[in-house]
Amino acid sequence: MAADPAIDTGDTAWMLVSTALVLMMTIPGLALFYAGMVRKKNVLATVMQSFAICCIITVVWMVAGYSLAFSTGSPYLGDLSKAMLSGIGAHISKGADIGFTLGAGSANATVMTIPESVFMMFQMTFAIITPALIAGAFAERMKFSALCVFTVLWSLVVYAPIAHWVWSPLGWVAGLGAVDFAGGTVVHINAGIAGLVCALVMGKRRGYGQDDLSPFNLTYAVAGASLLWVGWFGFNAGSAVGANGRAGMAMATTQIATAAAGLGWMVAEWIRTGKPTVLGIISGAVAGLVAITPAAGFVLPGGALILGLIAGVVCYWAATSLKHLLGYDDSLDAFGVHGIGGIVGALLTGVLAYGPLSATDANPSGVVGSFAQLVIQAEAVGITIVWCALATFVLLKIVDLTIGLRVTQDQEVEGLDMVLH
């Protein structure tokens, strides 16, 4: 009989820190980032969205989300064997826990050197930030009751299955050979596409294109973006699930890509409009954080620099020219930054991946950038887009038909702070 997997205290310490860093990305990071970009009458409502989603998803993840995403189940969905975190305390004795095996009993079972409680919490913080990101697309116009119901449904129907497909040892998208180090498909493309569908289904904000919808307080937004940047080291370097060389490289590539993307957006905007804006450079930095996410543990610093520069310029184009060309009102550019940035990053991972970073005894060459890998990455992107778009559309229609999605015209004019909170 095999010995129980041992705990590595260094790995566990780093994952505890990473989990706290990723939670900081939503509260207060994203809350401040989004709140600074809406109008004064909607600041509290925007902060409330991030905070409430944190509370809602914590409970949803405990009850069913974690089990659907990470229990063994099938290649398409986990089962409910870990519902209510069943069995998570079975190995604790005198305060000590053991490591656990992800996908136990399957052909691709992965032995972890951290307690399952820590892994569950780390993944919970990802499940929290993803629906919170979507809120940027429909800011200033969704009913709070609709947000609460949609968040629960979307987390179970869209997020948990895609997380299982990509990150479970049994997942069918992982089985195609697609790689996603920290959530390019699972978090960013998923949130970005859902945001675009929300913006299209709900329609534009009242006065879009006529009234002044400029941000209330960009200082809040800069503080929020800065917290996102720092928290992202937990997001990306934490996805090594250990205190090791791959975590170190993921931290380095995250910093470099983010800086490059901030500069790329800034310069593109400077050339086009004649001045570099504060909103521009922070949006570019977030685009870099998004784009490096799937690639962080697969690319070297040179690849990160290229990826960041491309992401900054492409996301600037998406958040300005593409949005105006197609006429949708993605309030805070959830699709332009997260959707497009996630797609750029996922695809370029297939081009820029450096084999030794992901090499194992079972796969001595690792994931190497090639045309074949690019095609596999494109398949994973396409699968994510199709499932997310269809499921999100259906869920929005269900919520709209039952309790209604949007505040009234008068409520929107008065502002959601006074009306809802």
Side-chain angles (χ1 to χ4, degrees), residues 62-329:
M62 178 201 167
V63 171
Y66 177 68
S67 192
L68 292 173
F70 289 104
S71 62
T72 304
S74 75
Y76 303 101
L77 193 64
D79 54 34
L80 290 174
S81 61
K82 294 180 185 287
M84 297 297 291
L85 303 184
S86 173
I88 205 164
H91 302 289
I92 298 174
S93 175
K94 298 179 182 175
D97 205 348
I98 60 169
F100 78 105
T101 303
L102 186 64
S106 72
N108 299 323
T110 306
V111 177
M112 298 287 188
T113 57
I114 63 174
E116 189 169 12
S117 58
V118 178
F119 179 78
M120 180 279 299
M121 268 293 303
F122 181 65
Q123 290 296 339
M124 179 195 285
T125 59
F126 283 65
I128 287 168
I129 198 169
T130 309
L133 291 170
I134 302 171
F138 56 70
E140 306 192 294
R141 59 199 188 277
M142 187 183 265
K143 288 167 63 174
F144 184 68
S145 56
L147 171 92
C148 293
V149 174
F150 173 73
T151 296
V152 172
L153 295 174
W154 192 88
S155 182
L156 294 172
V157 174
V158 183
Y159 182 85
I162 292 180
H164 185 79
W165 300 350
V166 175
W167 285 337
S168 165
L170 289 86
W172 71 282
V173 174
L176 298 173
V179 294
D180 180 358
F181 191 68
T185 49
V186 180
V187 176
H188 298 293
I189 297 174
N190 212 1
I193 295 299
L196 177 62
V197 174
C198 287
L200 293 172
V201 169
M202 294 189 67
K204 299 172 187 176
R205 286 169 290 177
R206 180 177 166 79
Y208 181 74
Q210 286 90 43
D211 297 349
D212 179 13
L213 304 181
S214 56
F216 156 63
N217 190 331
L218 278 179
T219 304
Y220 285 178
V222 173
S226 304
L227 287 163
L228 284 168
W229 189 332
V230 175
W232 224 287
F233 293 124
F235 205 77
N236 285 0
S239 290
V241 200
N244 52 41
R246 205 168 180 199
M249 186 60 77
M251 179 174 260
T253 54
T254 299
Q255 178 70 14
I256 291 163
T258 306
L263 294 175
W265 185 307
M266 181 185 83
V267 171
E269 184 179 49
W270 205 340
I271 292 168
R272 185 177 172 204
T273 67
K275 61 181 176 184
T277 67
V278 173
L279 182 58
I281 194 169
I282 62 173
S283 298
V286 173
L289 290 164
V290 168
I292 194 62
T293 292
F298 293 102
V299 302
L300 292 175
L305 185 70
I306 294 166
L307 192 151
L309 288 169
I310 292 171
V313 174
V314 171
C315 290
Y316 171 65
W317 167 79
T320 53
S321 303
L322 181 66
K323 184 160 74 168
H324 293 144
L325 181 70
L326 300 180
Y328 55 84
D329 180 14

Side-chain angles (χ1 to χ4, degrees), residues 31-38 43 46 214-221:
L32 284 170
F33 181 59
Y34 277 176
M37 292 195 284
V38 296
V43 170
T46 304
S214 56
F216 156 63
N217 190 331
L218 278 179
T219 304
Y220 285 178

